[in-house]
Amino acid sequence: MHDANGEQLATFCPMCVSRCGATATIVEGRLTAIGPDPAHPTGRAVCVKGKSAPRILEHPDRLLHPLRRTNPKGARDPGWEQIGWEEALDTIASRLGQIADESGPEAVVFGSASPSTSALSDSVDWIMRLRRAFGSPNFTCSMELCGWGRYMASMYTFGAPVPGAFMPDLENAGCILYWGYNPSVSRLVHATATVDAVNRGARLVVVDPRRTGLASKADHWLRVRPGTDAALALGLIHVMLDRGWYDETFVRRWTNASFLVRTDTGDLLHADEIAEPAAGTGYVAWDLVEAEPIIYDPAAPTYGGAESRLALSGTVEVVTTGGRVRCRPVLEHLRLHCEAMTPEATEALTRVPADVIVATARTLWASRPLAFYTWSGLEQHSNTTQMIRAVNVLYALTGSLDAPGGNVLFTPVPTNPIDGLDLLSDEQRDRAIGVRDRPLGPARFEFITGEDFYTAALEHRPYRARALVNFGANLVMAHGDSARVRDALASLDLFVHADIFPSPTGDLADIVLPVASPFETEALRVGFEVSQQAQSHVQLRRAVVEPRGDARSDQQIVFALAERLGLGEQFWDGDIDAAWRYQLAPSGITLEALRAEPRGLSLDLSTTYRKHEDRGFRTPSGLVELYSETLAKHGYPPLPTFAEPPLSPRSRPDLVAEFPLILTCAKSLRYCESQHRQIAELRRAAPDPQVEVHPDTAAARGISAGDWVRISTPNGAVRARAKLNAGLDPGVVCAQHGWSQGCGELDLPPSDPFELGGVNLNLVLRQTPSDPTSGSSPLRASLCNVAPE
């Protein structure tokens, strides 16, 4: 389509998880603008980051050619030497093959930026395929910081990613709960849908230390003390159980609420432990009518219609092969577990007023169906897994899962899997770094934590990590303890980094590969997730301009490297079109049809609700597990449990005099994590890192808005400009991570990310003590002080 302002091309913006449908304006071969495409399922708006795409593409700092280091790793100047693609790929393949021969393919770690905060969503499955075909079980993409809570932790409650794959059905929700999630910054398509839902009468609950984004429209904003979210969830559970505000029908039939827990051991009672009826397999409940135990066999997940007779409260005595044992149903066990978490006690821990807790519980119950979403606000703590478990159990009590208006698994477009899960043997999978220390954590799913990767590189535990092939992840800036990250990367025998721009992480590489921007290459997107309409949509995003220099897409790099490694057969001999045709085959959609319709094509798919009624849940019991026996068997709490943050005023009173404030952090609206601060149109409105401070806290320290201040932690200090925020608790400050880039157009120099007194917040935050299950780092609940410079 053409108009007076140039050619208009249909596309979508892949720079974050929102993946907003868009139109690209092309004038004389140049991308000049990105705007919304209301005809697209996710196209109602485009954020300021997406609109900056033309400046990103044409920025003079772009990486345009493969580079090879000529100076030692410790040198301030890497001594980059331009080389050709053939030499780069041959060198990489040769060195990777040598390392695999000497130390096994597990010695090579593959990595990527989070596909939720970058365009790596285009290619991450192909990177996974390459890693598995190569034989490595080790993939690092910060799962422990921005994916564990959405995707993995809920496996131990629902047996599925809730809310990761089970998305909030915002069009039909009666109530929406956002916990540690600000869609105005993180997923614009959710923000616009939420505004629509609120306008039609849906209730909105926001849990966040900051009154930001949609919190201003919320019926209840719960200003939780950072790191105490599990306590808040347990307090809400207390109210809902105490007042009977839970879906008893769902809880009886589809959770393990009726399973008996031994009071002597705290373990679930098993069928082979009881004397009558005859021993069998499975779990035990109590039949109130017959006054006897009844067996639940996960192989045939039903009580034979006896659910209404099962005890959910009280204590019973069961005759076991070892004598009489007192037992309680799981729901009673949960109620007693939460008994001390009265609204008043919860207020004392969380600083959320008791009356707000009760009112919120009433809204969550009375305004069902409830749809919820959480994100990194709950994923960067030492107790992340228990936080997520607590929210999961709270959600299960509402009975809204996979019901209209709840969290729903929308029907996907049928495709062939491309991530190569079958290419890696179980033997290799068991060699994942960190799986021995955290057997239920990310490494179980082949996602290794930054902490464990750096330990393997520096301390050779459980073995030495010798190489990293990294697509875009700015590890130095993304993870706590930046200096340790630097040392680990510098210790590698081979570090290959592919990116669009230079970064502090790329500066440590041996070979740097130039990546084309997502608007310079084709990419296939199957499903846009947020609604049934969006999930039914398939789009082949065209290249709207030619790539600059020698830049190639991540997918092109993967396929070329696979061929050099002798893995071409698993990659359709380098033919990306053939790979896409394979992926699309079950859908009935052809590549030619997608190229003919740049806006994409949609299948006529409908949502099937309450799928558990046909197949149960993919948990060991086949039910939603309020009590997780899997966690219990590995020494973790079977019921969600609150633990005070390890670096808080309560846990470290000895530090309070010097560090009286609680430090949390959040990302800026204008940047994708650590990216794009060199873009002048973004940087003008946010030229410096900020730390939000309550006006009273600032006044007591002689700080005015805009002042440079010193943020001191037990690990050192960094700088930021003060921004006054009356919505914060006076004892909490909120800083920003990801700062190091300069902006030449605005005469803003870069900052050394390893300089104490600089602007890299993660330099003075640690990765430990990490969550014992997931390895999540405590980046959002620490101690600090702020003072004028």
Side-chain angles (χ1 to χ4, degrees):
M1 181 174 67
H2 294 263
D3 62 26
N5 297 315
E7 184 182 7
Q8 304 294 306
L9 300 178
T11 186
F12 67 89
C13 176
M15 292 202 301
C16 80
V17 73
S18 197
R19 302 182 188 103
C20 299
T23 56
T25 302
I26 309 300
V27 177
E28 296 180 354
R30 294 178 55 240
L31 176 66
T32 61
I34 293 288
D37 179 5
H40 192 281
T42 62
R44 289 183 51 193
V46 173
C47 76
V48 63
K49 299 185 286 289
K51 291 176 181 177
S52 70
R55 262 57 67 191
I56 294 172
L57 265 65
E58 297 187 351
H59 198 277
D61 291 347
R62 283 274 305 272
L63 290 167
L64 301 179
H65 308 283
L67 302 172
R68 176 174 57 200
R69 169 183 293 277
T70 60
N71 289 334
K73 290 282 183 75
R76 181 171 293 273
D77 177 12
W80 294 123
E81 174 186 56
Q82 182 177 324
I83 58 176
W85 272 105
E86 298 302 311
E87 182 178 357
L89 292 170
D90 287 344
T91 300
I92 295 167
S94 174
R95 291 291 291 118
L96 292 179
Q98 180 184 357
I99 291 169
D101 288 342
E102 294 171 353
S103 304
E106 63 270 19
V108 178
V109 175
F110 289 72
S112 84
S114 165
S116 296
T117 57
S118 72
L120 261 298
S121 58
D122 287 350
S123 305
V124 68
D125 282 347
W126 299 109
I127 297 169
M128 297 280 273
R129 185 180 186 87
L130 175 63
R131 172 182 63 81
R132 287 167 170 153
F134 182 78
S136 173
N138 296 316
F139 184 61
T140 182
C141 69
S142 301
M143 175 62 73
E144 74 276 21
L145 299 183
C146 67
W148 175 255
R150 285 182 299 149
Y151 282 94
M152 300 298 180
S154 56
M155 301 293 288
Y156 302 112
T157 306
F158 301 112
V162 181
F166 282 71
M167 298 295 287
D169 183 8
L170 299 178
E171 295 177 3
N172 300 300
C175 183
I176 300 165
L177 170 62
Y178 286 148
W179 201 312
Y181 173 52
N182 178 9
S184 300
V185 170
S186 301
R187 198 170 199 153
L188 189 58
V189 66
H190 266 172
T192 56
T194 302
V195 170
D196 288 346
V198 169
N199 288 341
R200 66 166 169 76
R203 308 295 294 275
L204 177 62
V205 177
V206 174
V207 182
D208 199 303
R210 303 158 69 226
R211 189 166 192 162
T212 185
L214 293 172
S216 62
K217 296 181 177 292
D219 296 276
H220 306 289
W221 167 48
L222 283 65
R223 191 177 67 179
V224 65
R225 174 167 68 95
T228 64
D229 302 82
L232 178 57
L234 293 172
L236 289 166
I237 292 170
H238 170 100
V239 174
M240 296 180 79
L241 291 179
D242 184 61
R243 305 200 177 192
W245 293 344
Y246 63 93
D247 186 335
E248 184 174 340
T249 300
F250 178 84
V251 167
R252 281 183 178 279
R253 176 63 187 93
W254 292 112
T255 80
N256 66 354
S258 63
F259 289 6
L260 294 182
V261 182
R262 299 175 59 125
T263 61
D264 56 347
T265 64
D267 297 332
L268 290 180
L269 184 66
H270 285 258
D272 59 6
E273 297 179 75
I274 65 174
E276 296 290 342
T281 60
Y283 302 93
V284 183
W286 187 261
D287 187 325
L288 288 169
V289 174
E290 301 296 334
E292 65 181 13
I294 184 172
I295 306 302
Y296 175 89
D297 185 354
T302 177
Y303 292 100
E307 290 84 8
S308 62
R309 308 201 311 255
L310 301 180
L312 294 179
S313 60
T315 304
V316 298
E317 279 197 354
V318 181
V319 178
T320 73
T321 54
R324 290 183 174 272
V325 174
R326 291 171 61 84
C327 299
R328 298 189 186 101
V330 162
L331 195 67
E332 177 77 354
H333 198 56
L334 176 65
R335 185 187 69 78
L336 293 173
H337 181 70
C338 298
E339 190 172 38
M341 297 301 295
T342 63
E344 293 73 23
T346 304
E347 177 180 357
L349 287 172
T350 67
R351 302 182 185 171
V352 177
D355 60 337
V356 173
I357 293 170
V358 174
T360 299
R362 180 182 293 109
T363 296
L364 296 178
W365 172 247
S367 300
R368 295 169 302 145
L370 175 66
F372 86 109
Y373 208 78
T374 68
W375 209 345
S376 50
L378 290 187
E379 293 179 303
Q380 296 172 12
H381 298 278
S382 297
N383 197 35
T384 283
T385 303
Q386 295 301 322
M387 287 181 180
I388 299 299
R389 278 272 295 149
V391 176
N392 287 166
V393 169
L394 171 67
Y395 184 67
L397 294 177
T398 72
S400 298
L401 181 60
D402 214 22
N407 277 65
V408 174
L409 187 64
F410 297 116
T411 303
V413 173
T415 57
N416 282 318
I418 56 170
D419 60 3
L421 186 63
D422 59 325
L423 299 179
L424 189 71
S425 69
D426 289 341
E427 181 183 12
Q428 278 300 99
R429 195 168 282 110
D430 288 342
R431 292 191 174 105
I433 293 171
V435 76
R436 294 286 180 267
D437 295 330
R438 284 185 275 262
L440 300 183
R444 178 185 183 186
F445 309 98
E446 304 169 35
F447 297 99
I448 68 168
T449 70
E451 178 192 351
D452 291 339
F453 170 35
Y454 309 136
T455 297
L458 291 169
E459 302 174 23
H460 306 177
R461 292 190 287 113
Y463 48 80
R464 186 184 173 206
R466 294 182 56 189
L468 172 65
V469 181
N470 185 44
F471 291 83
N474 194 357
L475 301 171
V476 164
M477 305 304 299
H479 291 173
D481 218 344
S482 298
R484 187 168 189 261
V485 180
R486 172 200 60 201
D487 294 345
L489 297 179
S491 75
L492 299 172
D493 290 342
L494 176 67
F495 176 19
V496 179
H497 185 74
D499 214 332
I500 297 178
F501 286 99
S503 73
T505 298
D507 289 346
L508 296 164
D510 297 288
I511 293 179
V512 171
L513 303 177
V515 176
S517 87
F519 297 101
E520 295 170 329
T521 60
E522 281 191 322
L524 177 63
R525 179 76 201 172
V526 181
F528 286 75
E529 300 180 326
V530 295
S531 65
Q532 184 59 70
Q533 180 192 15
Q535 188 67 330
S536 303
H537 196 67
V538 181
Q539 190 170 3
L540 186 71
R541 193 186 66 244
R542 66 170 76 182
V544 298
V545 294
E546 291 294 320
R548 289 182 60 196
D550 293 328
R552 298 183 181 183
S553 72
D554 294 296
Q555 189 173 355
Q556 288 171 325
I557 295 171
V558 165
F559 274 59
L561 187 54
E563 288 194 278
R564 293 303 197 290
L565 290 167
L567 304 172
E569 185 177 352
Q570 288 95 337
F571 285 82
W572 293 267
D573 296 320
D575 187 339
I576 292 177
D577 277 8
W580 283 339
R581 287 191 174 93
Y582 168 82
Q583 182 181 359
L584 288 168
S587 72
I589 296 175
T590 67
L591 206 55
E592 290 72 20
L594 289 173
R595 287 202 169 107
E597 182 45 76
R599 185 170 276 126
L601 299 169
S602 294
L603 296 185
D604 184 15
L605 301 175
S606 60
T607 303
T608 301
Y609 297 103
R610 300 183 179 90
K611 289 175 279 296
H612 51 268
E613 294 181 357
D614 292 327
R615 66 189 187 199
F617 292 90
R618 295 177 181 174
T619 59
S621 65
L623 301 171
V624 174
E625 298 194 340
L626 309 180
Y627 177 114
S628 172
E629 191 171 44
T630 300
L631 289 171
K633 286 178 177 178
H634 286 82
Y636 305 122
L639 293 178
T641 302
F642 168 66
E644 180 68 28
L647 201 62
S648 79
R650 284 174 172 263
S651 58
R652 293 299 304 273
D654 57 309
L655 296 176
V656 170
E658 187 175 359
F659 304 104
L661 302 175
I662 298 171
L663 172 64
T664 189
C665 62
K667 65 182 180 181
S668 168
L669 167 68
R670 308 191 72 82
Y671 307 114
C672 292
E673 305 296 354
S674 66
Q675 305 171 72
H676 305 150
R677 285 169 178 79
Q678 70 274 68
I679 307 302
E681 72 175 50
L682 295 175
R683 192 71 178 264
R684 283 190 185 94
D688 301 305
Q690 295 181 334
V691 56
E692 297 178 43
V693 186
H694 190 279
D696 293 347
T697 305
R701 290 162 170 75
I703 295 170
S704 299
D707 286 354
W708 280 102
V709 300
R710 180 181 176 90
I711 308 170
S712 301
T713 78
N715 307 307
V718 293
R719 306 166 66 238
R721 286 196 185 273
K723 178 182 179 180
L724 303 189
N725 182 348
L728 278 178
D729 184 305
V732 174
V733 299
C734 181
Q736 299 170 346
H737 81 287
W739 286 84
S740 71
Q741 293 172 324
C743 182
E745 189 175 340
L746 301 180
D747 295 324
L748 295 171
S751 172
D752 182 351
F754 309 110
E755 175 191 5
L756 284 173
V759 294
N760 175 17
L761 181 66
N762 281 355
L763 183 67
V764 296
L765 297 176
R766 293 292 177 257
Q767 294 185 310
T768 56
S770 53
D771 180 271
T773 310
S774 69
S776 299
S777 300
L779 302 180
R780 291 188 181 248
S782 185
L783 286 177
C784 78
N785 201 3
V786 294
E789 279 206 317

